[in-house]
């Protein structure tokens, strides 16, 4: 029988920080004071420097959520904002959620987990630096990538070795990027042709066709039917598409 392993692309070590898209589990791996990431509104922020430069009680709320998504801390983004100077679409400004303070009856930042770095106190004292500064949640220079909003499962079956890997990958990634993830398990991943089973529109016959490595799974016709299968109470395993790897006899590519 084919050997089947359940492998998450995020559990086999950290990936290069120049990667465009991260899985939630990859973000969660950065949860230490000296390696701290958070995500919100689809972006991944490296706030390690914020932690290092602001030791004390105000970093504790950040450390408690290290590696997680904190979109609920902020207002919904206004994606339609435009730059007043050139009319081009500007990056939306992230704003903290606010509430009306029951004591002062003034609108204040809403921080149920405790006040954190760059949030002003309700009653600023001499220890509060009121000089203008960009709060860390608006500092886009700390963005290291995007967090996937379309995680999906695929099976990658090596026809030569009969090994089958069950992987969870971002649906936004191209097959080339997914192949880079799979290379953790097979150094010669580029020595294989990646193919999917597809029905010929003319003859109706099923045949294996090469995928376009520059396109996503969906763009290659590999749709995600997991939600439909769940609604029909069909076992989710049946909805997981299979990508077949055919060895091309070229071990020079590694």
């Amino acid at each position: 029988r084919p050997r089947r392993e359940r492998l998450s692309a995020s559990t086999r070590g950290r990936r290069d920080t120049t990667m465009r898209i991260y899985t939630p589990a990859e973000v969660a791996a950065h949860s230490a004071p000296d390696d701290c990431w958070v995500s919100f509104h689809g972006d991944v922020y490296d706030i390690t420097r914020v932690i290092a430069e602001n030791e004390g009680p105000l970093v504790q709320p950040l450390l408690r959520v290290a590696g997680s998504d904190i979109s609920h801390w902020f207002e919904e983004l206004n994606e339609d904002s435009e730059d007043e100077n050139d009319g081009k679409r500007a990056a939306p400004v992230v704003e903290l959620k606010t509430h009306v303070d029951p004591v002062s009856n003034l609108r204040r930042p809403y921080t149920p987990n405790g006040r954190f770095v760059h949030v002003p106190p309700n009653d600023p004292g001499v220890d509060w630096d009121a000089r203008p500064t960009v709060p860390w949640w608006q500092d886009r220079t700390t963005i290291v990538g995007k967090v996937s909003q379309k995680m999906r499962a695929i099976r990658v079956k090596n026809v030569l070795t009969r090994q089958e890997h069950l992987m969870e990958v971002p649906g936004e990634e191209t097959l080339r990027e997914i192949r880079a993830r799979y290379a953790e398990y097979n150094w010669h991943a580029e020595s294989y042709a990646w193919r999917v089973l597809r029905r010929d529109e003319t003859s109706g016959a099923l045949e294996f066709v090469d995928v376009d490595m520059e396109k996503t799974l969906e763009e290659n016709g590999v749709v995600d039917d997991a939600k439909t299968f769940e609604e029909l109470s069909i076992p989710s395993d049946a909805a997981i598409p299979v990508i077949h790897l055919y060895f091309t006899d070229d071990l020079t590519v590694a």
Side-chain angles (χ1 to χ4, degrees), residues 27 30 36-40 43-47 62 65-70 136:
V27 177
H30 299 265
C36 185
W37 289 9
V38 291
S39 65
F40 49 92
D43 291 318
V44 180
Y45 291 73
D46 182 350
I47 61 171
L62 302 181
V65 297
S68 66
D69 188 88
I70 55 173
W136 62 264

Side-chain angles (χ1 to χ4, degrees), residues 173-177 194-196 198 209-217 219-222:
E173 285 190 331
T174 65
L175 267 295
R176 185 178 299 279
E177 291 168 319
W194 288 50
R195 297 171 180 167
V196 293
R198 188 173 298 163
V209 296
D210 290 343
V211 297
D212 186 332
M213 303 303 290
E214 306 304 325
K215 294 183 177 181
T216 65
L217 288 163
E219 289 170 343
N220 272 288
V222 184

Side-chain angles (χ1 to χ4, degrees), residues 174-187:
T174 65
L175 267 295
R176 185 178 299 279
E177 291 168 319
I178 292 174
R179 184 177 63 186
R181 293 178 179 274
Y182 176 74
E184 293 187 56
Y185 319 122
N186 185 338
W187 289 357

Side-chain angles (χ1 to χ4, degrees), residues 63-112:
L63 292 176
R64 285 195 289 269
V65 297
S68 66
D69 188 88
I70 55 173
S71 297
H72 59 285
W73 285 17
F74 307 99
E75 298 286 0
E76 293 296 322
L77 294 180
N78 179 11
E79 299 287 355
D80 297 326
S81 59
E82 291 185 351
D83 190 287
E84 294 181 358
N85 296 321
D86 56 17
K88 294 182 180 179
R89 176 169 294 183
V93 177
V94 179
E95 299 287 0
L96 281 175
K97 284 186 175 179
T98 61
H99 74 128
V100 176
D101 185 274
V103 177
S104 66
N105 204 33
L106 297 175
R107 185 161 292 279
R108 303 290 192 185
Y110 182 61
T111 56

Side-chain angles (χ1 to χ4, degrees), residues 130-170:
R131 289 175 297 181
T133 184
V134 177
W136 62 264
W137 58 88
Q138 293 180 356
D139 184 1
R140 297 187 63 82
T141 66
T142 62
I143 295 177
V144 295
K146 295 282 188 180
V147 63
S148 175
Q149 306 296 312
K150 299 179 181 179
M151 291 297 297
R152 57 179 302 186
I154 60 170
R155 288 195 179 96
V156 181
K157 183 174 183 178
N158 189 319
V159 177
L160 177 66
T161 64
R162 296 177 62 82
Q163 288 183 318
E164 185 175 306
H165 296 155
L166 181 58
M167 300 176 60
E168 293 174 304
V169 300

